[in-house]
């Protein structure tokens, strides 16, 4: 096809299309198009709202069940099946067992929507004791009173906090529960206890060539921790006595001092020599320890007593065969052994 023919056909096409007429027709249809678009948007918004409110439609109403008199665990399961959310208020009671629902609000058979709140009043049980004011008292006396077998106190004083203070060592400085607080079950009262003033200097007593029984007397209340060892007595040593000559020096309170004994290879006249050793917890303040014995004849004797801060405890002994020995910490027997 020639170029002249192509040009002729294009002119015919544009001649048939009246551009102005087409524009006028589109302009006349704009309002209808706008109305159609707006209707479509409104319809879509209506559908979205319908779906949304269908989703969040409130739960149907339910009858509140009767849970008064039930154990709390059982009451919670019953309320869960009704989609009711409990709020729990504890109240003391001398007549209703601990953990039992005493009352409820709203009452049973009330009509409530699911996922509504219901208040349960639950028994805390009987008040066993009331917290006292322990500040200013000695912790040992307070602990002894709570451990009294006749009283069977529900209050305990485990893991007290110790800190240095100008108050006497062992004096209670503070407590976490206020005076008059009711106690319904075994309750620990956190105490802050004085460790006393900062450490003092003490003098190591003269121990050289002292036998075991005199060693016991010398170390009583010296506020020194003695790490006792022994060796086989030499020909120029006195058997059963301290061989350490380093005495008279000054150390800090409850510092560890080494003491060595010269012991025989075996027993002498049925007397056995040795060292009791035990490892106990470290205490924040020194605690009272003691060694007691009961002979074959039933004779009871306190061999020694002293204050110690824990860790390794070593105590020498020279006792007859068959003697029973007890090791105490704060009056409670920790170990028992028999000399043989």
């Amino acid at each position: 096809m020639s170029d002249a023919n192509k040009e002729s056909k294009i002119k015919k096409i544009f001649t048939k299309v009246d551009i102005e007429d087409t524009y006028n027709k589109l302009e006349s249809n704009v309002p209808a198009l706008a109305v159609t678009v707006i209707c479509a948007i409104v319809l879509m918004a209506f559908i979205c709202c319908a779906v949304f409110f269908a989703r969040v439609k409130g739960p149907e109403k339910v009858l509140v069940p009767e849970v008064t008199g039930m154990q709390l665990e059982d009451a919670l399961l019953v309320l869960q099946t009704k989609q009711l959310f409990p709020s729990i208020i504890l109240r003391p009671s001398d007549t209703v067992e601990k953990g039992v629902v005493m009352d409820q609000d709203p009452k049973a058979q009330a009509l409530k929507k699911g996922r509504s709140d219901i208040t349960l009043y639950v028994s805390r049980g009987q008040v066993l004791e009331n917290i006292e004011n322990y500040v200013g008292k000695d912790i040992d006396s307070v602990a002894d009173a709570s451990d009294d077998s006749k009283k069977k106190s529900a209050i305990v004083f485990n893991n007290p906090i110790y800190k240095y203070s100008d108050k006497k060592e062992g004096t209670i400085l503070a407590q976490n529960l206020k005076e008059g607080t009711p106690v319904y079950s075994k309750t620990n009262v956190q105490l802050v206890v004085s460790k006393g003033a900062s450490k003092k200097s003490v003098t190591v007593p003269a121990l050289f060539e002292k036998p075991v029984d005199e060693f016991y007397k010398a170390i009583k209340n010296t506020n020194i921790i003695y790490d006792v060892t022994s060796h086989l007595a030499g020909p120029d040593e006195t058997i059963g006595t301290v061989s350490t000559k380093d005495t008279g020096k000054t150390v800090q309170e409850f510092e560890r001092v080494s003491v060595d004994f010269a012991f025989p290879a075996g027993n002498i006249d049925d007397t056995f020599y040795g060292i009791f050793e035990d490892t106990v917890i470290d205490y924040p303040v020194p605690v009272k320890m003691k060694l007691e014995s009961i002979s074959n004849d039933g004779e009871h004797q306190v061999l020694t007593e002293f204050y110690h801060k824990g860790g390794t405890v070593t105590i020498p002994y020279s006792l007859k065969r068959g003697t029973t020995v007890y090791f105490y910490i704060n009056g409670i027997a920790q170990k028992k052994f028999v000399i043989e």
Side-chain angles (χ1 to χ4, degrees), residues 125-141:
Q126 184 178 7
V127 177
L128 301 179
E129 290 184 62
N130 290 291
I131 300 296
E132 299 177 17
N133 181 17
Y134 306 107
V135 176
K137 297 181 180 180
D138 183 82
I139 188 171
D140 288 337
S141 64

Side-chain angles (χ1 to χ4, degrees), residues 293-313:
S293 67
I294 301 178
S295 68
N296 284 331
D297 299 331
E299 182 183 355
H300 181 277
Q301 181 182 7
V302 177
L303 299 176
T304 184
E305 53 186 353
F306 51 91
Y307 284 88
H308 202 288
K309 294 193 70 175
T312 302
V313 181

Side-chain angles (χ1 to χ4, degrees), residues 43-265:
L43 179 62
M44 291 177 63
F46 175 77
I47 294 172
C48 290
C49 290
V51 172
F52 173 77
F53 285 110
R55 288 283 186 181
V56 299
K57 181 183 177 182
E60 296 182 359
K61 292 186 176 181
V62 296
L63 287 176
V64 175
E66 176 69 76
V67 295
T68 300
M70 289 185 180
Q71 287 288 338
L72 178 59
E73 295 85 352
D74 298 331
L76 294 178
L77 290 174
V78 172
L79 295 176
Q80 185 179 12
T81 62
K82 297 289 186 178
Q83 293 188 315
L84 295 171
F85 298 132
S87 298
I88 299 171
I89 298 177
L90 298 176
R91 288 181 172 175
S93 174
D94 294 335
T95 57
V96 180
E97 181 185 351
K98 181 180 178 181
V100 173
V101 179
M102 302 167 59
D103 198 3
Q104 64 184 77
D105 182 24
K107 301 293 186 182
Q109 303 304 310
L111 202 59
K112 296 283 289 185
K113 282 187 177 182
R115 295 197 288 273
S116 295
D117 290 337
I118 177 171
T119 303
L120 301 182
Y121 300 93
V122 180
S123 171
R124 297 189 65 170
Q126 184 178 7
V127 177
L128 301 179
E129 290 184 62
N130 290 291
I131 300 296
E132 299 177 17
N133 181 17
Y134 306 107
V135 176
K137 297 181 180 180
D138 183 82
I139 188 171
D140 288 337
S141 64
V142 169
D144 290 343
S146 68
D147 289 338
D148 187 344
S149 59
K150 294 181 180 179
K151 185 178 181 182
K152 294 182 180 179
S153 175
I155 301 172
V156 294
F157 306 96
N158 296 330
N159 304 316
I161 298 171
Y162 292 87
K163 72 175 195 176
Y164 288 112
S165 165
D166 57 357
K167 298 293 184 181
K168 181 183 176 183
E169 184 178 301
T171 302
I172 298 171
L173 305 175
Q175 61 191 70
N176 67 326
L177 297 179
K178 293 182 179 180
E179 180 181 5
T181 301
V183 171
Y184 302 91
S185 59
K186 206 75 171 177
T187 301
N188 181 60
V189 178
Q190 184 73 66
L191 300 176
V192 180
V193 182
S194 172
K195 294 175 67 172
S198 57
K199 291 183 178 179
K200 302 174 184 177
S201 296
V202 292
T203 302
V204 179
L207 299 173
F208 180 60
E209 291 195 334
K210 286 189 179 296
V212 174
D213 55 348
E214 291 188 27
F215 171 79
Y216 289 157
K217 296 176 183 178
I219 69 171
K220 187 175 181 180
N221 299 326
T222 58
N223 292 349
I224 297 172
I225 297 175
Y226 297 93
D227 290 327
V228 181
T229 57
S230 67
H231 67 277
L232 189 61
D236 59 343
E237 292 183 303
T238 305
I239 293 176
T241 64
V242 176
S243 62
T244 304
K245 297 180 180 181
D246 186 15
T247 58
K249 65 179 181 179
T250 299
V251 298
Q252 294 294 309
E253 270 191 319
F254 299 104
E255 184 177 329
R256 289 182 176 269
V257 172
S258 297
V259 176
D260 193 50
F261 276 81
F263 282 163

Side-chain angles (χ1 to χ4, degrees), residues 32-50:
L33 180 61
V35 171
T36 302
V37 171
I38 292 172
C39 289
I41 293 173
V42 171
L43 179 62
M44 291 177 63
F46 175 77
I47 294 172
C48 290
C49 290

